[in-house]
Amino acid sequence: MIKQQVINHLLSNGGKLTEGETWISIAETYKVEPSNQKRANKDENFRKKTIARTAQRYWQSYIKQVNKLKVKKQIFVDGNLKFETYKEGPEKAKLPENPDDFEIEKYTTNPYGGAWMKLKRKEKILDDTHLQDLKEILTKEITPVEYSPKFITNSKAHFVYGSDKHIGALTKLDSIYKNKYDRQVMRERIVTASIQNIEDSVALHGKFEDLYIMDFGDALDGFNQKTTGGLRGTSSHTLPQQLNNREQHDFYVELHRELFDTIVENEYAANIYFIATSNSNHGGDFEYGAMRTLQTYLEVKYPFIKSFVSYKAYNHFICGEHAIIFGHGKDDEDMKHGLPLVINDKVANVLGDYIDVNKLADYNVSVISGDLHQSSDGYSKKFRYKKVLAQYGSSKWMHTNFGSGQPGLSSEVYVKNSKKIYKEEDFFEIKNESNTGINF
């Protein structure tokens, strides 16, 4: 009440002190109390100083509020302010020029209305500027390779389904099964096994018209030992790893450079493709960066290789009479449960809708995904449903919850002008796989 009386007094005088008037006189008129009554009783100078400062602050606080909220209308009764109407609320904070570069770190609400957001800049693993700079550097250092194979093709396409490589992952030594996965084993399963798979297929079918090297995601084990759910804060699981972030990225690029260098040198096919999905629950944006770095290398050194890195839960392309819909099987954000090992009605409806919307019904449709580290084949009325093997195999967590999980590499050969598909599963041997048993 005293505060309002001080404000009304000044408003009645046009917001100014009258001649001979001081903040002390105003404070004494409206009986403003000192901040420390006990000290004021002993020290008159302190009493006058503190009540004058309090009265002045009442007015300054009011003026600050008026300027901030922009008063539109004031109603006085008997010379006293009774009601105010404000034109608008406090001035809104300006958003960053590039809001997509930021994410909400904290959101706070006020029970009396209003809210505050604290933003933080997103940690970018790479961006277009990085890729452009990389391309410029590579262009100066690498001479583009010309590719003009002179052989008769077989009108077939060979597909290598690389999946769930989990580069950097560590299967703990106290797991119930063994799964050694150091750099040497990664190279054997990702490079050597892929080349052997292609050569075996060439020996059986002849040189191919098309060769597709695919990557179905979870290529990197995880950024900062977290899945994408862990980075969002929806999972507290810490991933056991043997390679740090930089090492995972660099080793992925190194292995796949070696893979494509060998493929081009041996001329297994007339046309070569690299198609990958990075929307996965382990790799996400992290592996997107590694895949795009590899893609940039391919664009510079092997401009004839057609490549595409997808960041959508599903995508598709056409190969002859076949339509291939692909994805990791569990995305980085929206899927609580990934695509199951065996197709069910819900999945059939969701994917059937995708086929209808994209007008793929006239093709022989295959829906292919990884994630579960197991291979399976199923069918619905509209499409074939396939899960592919994992080149990594399984972690201790998977061993305990789902079993041993044999690592391997899935591949297929499509006859482009028919619906015929040849299937192959190459399983990797793990010597002395059991890690249990008591001997006396």
Side-chain angles (χ1 to χ4, degrees), residues 47-211:
R47 184 190 71 80
K48 291 181 178 180
K49 186 176 180 179
T50 188
I51 63 173
R53 183 182 298 143
T54 300
Q56 185 179 28
R57 284 176 177 171
Y58 287 160
W59 177 248
Q60 290 174 339
S61 175
Y62 170 76
I63 291 300
K64 184 178 180 181
Q65 181 182 17
V66 168
N67 292 336
K68 190 176 182 181
L69 298 181
K70 298 181 181 179
V71 175
K72 183 179 180 181
K73 185 178 181 180
Q74 294 178 320
I75 298 176
F76 293 85
V77 177
D78 297 331
N80 294 321
L81 177 66
K82 292 295 184 181
F83 186 75
E84 290 179 317
T85 302
Y86 297 102
K87 185 177 182 181
E88 60 183 30
E91 184 179 352
K92 295 180 180 179
K94 293 182 180 179
L95 288 174
E97 292 183 3
N98 299 309
D100 290 341
D101 293 341
F102 294 80
E103 59 186 355
I104 298 174
E105 181 178 25
K106 186 177 182 180
Y107 185 81
T108 305
T109 58
N110 189 319
Y112 301 103
W116 295 264
M117 287 188 298
K118 182 180 180 181
L119 302 179
K120 68 176 182 179
R121 187 178 293 275
K122 293 179 181 177
E123 183 171 2
K124 286 190 175 182
I125 296 168
L126 92 167
D127 54 23
D128 292 338
T129 302
H130 165 87
L131 293 172
Q132 186 59 41
D133 292 343
L134 175 62
K135 195 167 188 176
E136 291 176 1
I137 294 171
L138 293 177
T139 301
K140 295 176 182 177
E141 298 181 353
I142 296 176
T143 301
V145 173
E146 293 185 4
Y147 188 71
S148 302
K150 295 178 174 58
F151 52 77
I152 298 174
T153 66
N154 54 15
S155 298
K156 298 176 183 178
H158 182 72
F159 286 77
V160 178
Y161 296 143
S163 185
D164 295 276
K165 297 162 184 172
H166 288 271
I167 290 175
L170 173 68
T171 300
K172 289 184 176 180
L173 295 178
D174 59 345
S175 179
I176 58 177
Y177 304 110
K178 297 176 184 176
N179 182 26
K180 183 182 178 181
Y181 199 59
D182 57 18
R183 287 177 182 261
Q184 178 182 345
V185 175
M186 292 180 210
R187 176 170 270 105
E188 290 172 354
R189 295 183 184 179
I190 295 170
V191 181
T192 307
S194 296
I195 295 300
Q196 188 62 54
N197 173 276
I198 297 169
E199 291 186 343
D200 290 347
S201 191
V202 169
L204 182 63
H205 297 277
K207 298 271 187 173
F208 287 96
E209 181 175 338
D210 299 324
L211 172 60

Side-chain angles (χ1 to χ4, degrees), residues 176-179 399 404-407 430-435:
I176 58 177
Y177 304 110
K178 297 176 184 176
N179 182 26
H399 285 163
S404 57
Q406 190 75 11
I430 301 177
K431 295 181 179 180
N432 302 318
E433 185 175 7
S434 175
N435 203 27

Side-chain angles (χ1 to χ4, degrees), residues 360-377:
L360 302 176
D362 292 337
Y363 294 95
N364 185 41
V365 181
S366 295
V367 178
I368 306 171
S369 63
D371 181 53
L372 296 183
H373 296 220
Q374 299 179 74
S375 174
S376 70
D377 278 277

Side-chain angles (χ1 to χ4, degrees), residues 327-381:
H328 175 62
K330 188 175 184 182
D331 74 342
D332 66 346
E333 186 174 24
D334 299 317
M335 299 173 74
K336 183 177 181 181
H337 303 290
L339 295 178
L341 186 65
V342 179
I343 190 172
N344 56 36
D345 290 342
K346 177 184 176 182
V347 172
N349 289 333
V350 171
L351 295 173
D353 181 57
Y354 183 94
I355 291 170
D356 293 340
V357 170
N358 289 282
K359 298 179 173 56
L360 302 176
D362 292 337
Y363 294 95
N364 185 41
V365 181
S366 295
V367 178
I368 306 171
S369 63
D371 181 53
L372 296 183
H373 296 220
Q374 299 179 74
S375 174
S376 70
D377 278 277
Y379 296 86
S380 75
K381 290 183 178 180

